[in-house]
Amino acid sequence: MGIGMSFKVAPGIRIRATSRGLRTSIGPRAARIHVGAGRPTVSTGAGPVTLWTPLTSSRRPAGRPRGQAASLAAYQRQAAADERAEQIAQVQQTENALRTLHREAFPAAQRMIVPPPRPPDLAALTARHTAAALAGISIFARTRRRDAKAAASAAAHAEADMLWQQACARQAEAQRQADAYWQALEANDPDTVHDALERAFEDNQWPATSVGHGTEDGVFASVAMLFGTAEMVPERKPALTPGGKPTLHKRTKTERNELYAEALGSTVLATVKEALAVAPGLSAVHVVVVRKDPQAGADKYLEVIYAGRFPRAWTDSLPWATLDPVETLLRAPDAKLTQRGTAHDIAGIDLSDEPGISEVLALMRSAL
């Protein structure tokens, strides 16, 4: 049985000292709150009522409440899962871009039709001429105002006719120039074809340029492309854990080279497809691919890794939605592609018997 003593310190406030410590009572006898040593309680007519249980019980450690700790752990798990999903999506997006560039549709060039001019705004012209004609004429001078309005209307119609004739003349001149350009493009004028190809290649991911024009079984254009190294291929690939969850695994060197070859094929085919679309008179496109490797020595900083010829008839017959880019590169007429070792590394091709390709490489070296 505990013993102690109590004393009143203010109206309604009493402190009791016991062997358990100090305890304070606040309020009237019928609704008195007791705090301090022990659990907080309220004295009522029905007896004492406990208000709360301390958090620092033997079942719950001091510090963060159990619910808050669980929520933080769940948030961290979700954040990690979201980051992993984003990484996987980025890798998949990069892979698709490397593999499917050749599936892009390039609309065929067509003769440009210059739209007819818009008629002049006769109402606006009449209003302007009328305002100028009536300036300074009293509203009571009806005859003068009537004559001024008639003259203004005649002047507005005359100006409208003049503007219409000028617009029609400009449209006719623009159509004449467009027709001349189209005729030159169809006739494979070298300068016109070069201009069309350069404008088409301006927004390509990998730089390409027209470097030649000739006749051999028809008219062909020579195109030089600058391509990167296998470093463009993501080091990891999408995979599944033993439990079936998406994850990323490291690619082998062979897998990386295989995707690099697909990217090369897809880029070459897309460039050929675009060139034939914008230059309808060409019967073939000759392609030379130069690889730029800043990590290589001076002799291999730039090297030719592919060359091939793509006749229009052969290219138009390709199953673009299902073709294998690497296989198609190898089947192209006069194709040259060297793969070495068990990992199928793409290496520079031997140019000792290729003076034409050597000239393209020299041209690229001088430009870069």
Side-chain angles (χ1 to χ4, degrees):
M1 179 176 181
I3 59 173
M5 57 180 297
S6 66
F7 51 91
K8 181 177 181 182
V9 296
I13 301 177
R14 179 176 295 274
I15 296 178
R16 177 178 178 82
T18 69
S19 58
R20 296 181 180 179
L22 297 178
R23 191 168 177 80
T24 303
S25 301
I26 305 173
R29 183 184 301 272
R32 184 170 295 167
I33 300 175
H34 307 280
V35 296
R39 297 179 180 179
T41 58
V42 176
S43 296
T44 66
V49 178
T50 300
L51 292 180
W52 54 275
T53 302
L55 292 177
T56 55
S57 65
S58 60
R59 299 182 185 178
R60 186 177 304 173
R64 183 181 296 112
R66 182 183 303 157
Q68 184 178 352
S71 298
L72 179 58
Y75 172 80
Q76 292 174 335
R77 287 194 300 271
Q78 186 61 48
D82 291 344
E83 182 179 2
R84 183 169 58 253
E86 183 178 357
Q87 292 173 346
I88 295 173
Q90 290 177 348
V91 170
Q92 290 175 332
Q93 183 178 3
T94 301
E95 281 193 12
N96 290 336
L98 292 173
R99 286 190 169 110
T100 62
L101 191 61
H102 62 280
R103 296 180 186 173
E104 182 178 351
F106 298 99
Q110 296 180 347
R111 171 178 173 265
M112 186 178 73
I113 303 298
V114 180
R118 297 179 60 181
D121 190 344
L122 182 59
L125 293 173
T126 301
R128 177 166 58 81
H129 280 279
T130 300
L134 294 178
I137 300 179
S138 172
I139 61 174
F140 299 104
R142 296 182 178 180
T143 301
R144 290 182 60 194
R145 291 180 67 86
R146 184 180 62 250
D147 294 342
K149 289 180 180 180
S153 177
H157 279 80
E159 184 178 357
D161 289 341
M162 180 189 66
L163 293 175
W164 175 250
Q165 292 173 8
Q166 292 175 349
C168 289
R170 288 193 297 269
Q171 187 267 349
E173 176 59 20
Q175 187 64 61
R176 185 193 66 78
Q177 294 179 4
D179 289 343
Y181 180 85
W182 177 252
Q183 292 169 5
L185 189 62
E186 284 191 311
N188 289 311
D189 173 71
D191 292 337
T192 305
V193 171
H194 177 82
D195 177 65
L197 293 177
E198 290 298 291
R199 286 189 286 109
F201 296 155
E202 280 180 353
D203 60 348
N204 287 11
Q205 179 180 0
W206 294 103
T209 184
S210 173
V211 295
H213 187 272
T215 56
E216 181 182 326
D217 296 331
V219 180
F220 69 88
S222 295
V223 173
M225 286 178 46
L226 192 64
F227 203 60
T229 67
E231 296 299 319
M232 71 175 69
V233 177
E235 292 185 355
R236 296 182 176 274
K237 63 179 180 179
L240 295 176
T241 65
K245 294 183 179 181
T247 186
L248 293 174
H249 287 172
K250 186 176 179 60
R251 295 182 196 272
T252 65
K253 186 175 181 181
T254 300
E255 290 172 334
R256 201 171 192 185
N257 287 334
E258 288 175 351
L259 183 51
Y260 175 66
E262 284 188 67
L264 172 64
S266 185
T267 305
V268 169
L269 293 174
T271 304
V272 169
K273 193 177 184 181
E274 185 176 28
L276 293 174
V278 302
L282 292 178
S283 58
V285 176
H286 297 187
V287 178
V288 174
V289 182
V290 178
R291 178 167 60 193
K292 180 180 179 180
D293 186 2
Q295 306 301 323
D299 58 332
K300 290 189 177 182
Y301 173 68
L302 291 178
E303 60 181 353
V304 177
I305 59 173
Y306 179 78
R309 182 168 55 88
F310 295 83
R312 180 182 291 274
W314 182 79
T315 305
D316 288 344
S317 68
L318 294 174
W320 290 98
T322 58
L323 62 78
D324 182 311
V326 180
E327 180 184 347
T328 305
L329 281 195
L330 294 173
R331 289 195 299 110
D334 303 327
K336 294 176 177 59
L337 178 68
T338 301
Q339 292 179 292
R340 293 177 179 171
T342 57
H344 301 104
D345 292 279
I346 292 181
I349 63 178
D350 183 7
L351 302 180
S352 56
D353 295 328
E354 301 291 344
I357 300 177
S358 298
E359 290 179 5
V360 173
L361 181 60
L363 179 63
M364 298 288 284
R365 282 176 173 162
S366 64
L368 298 175

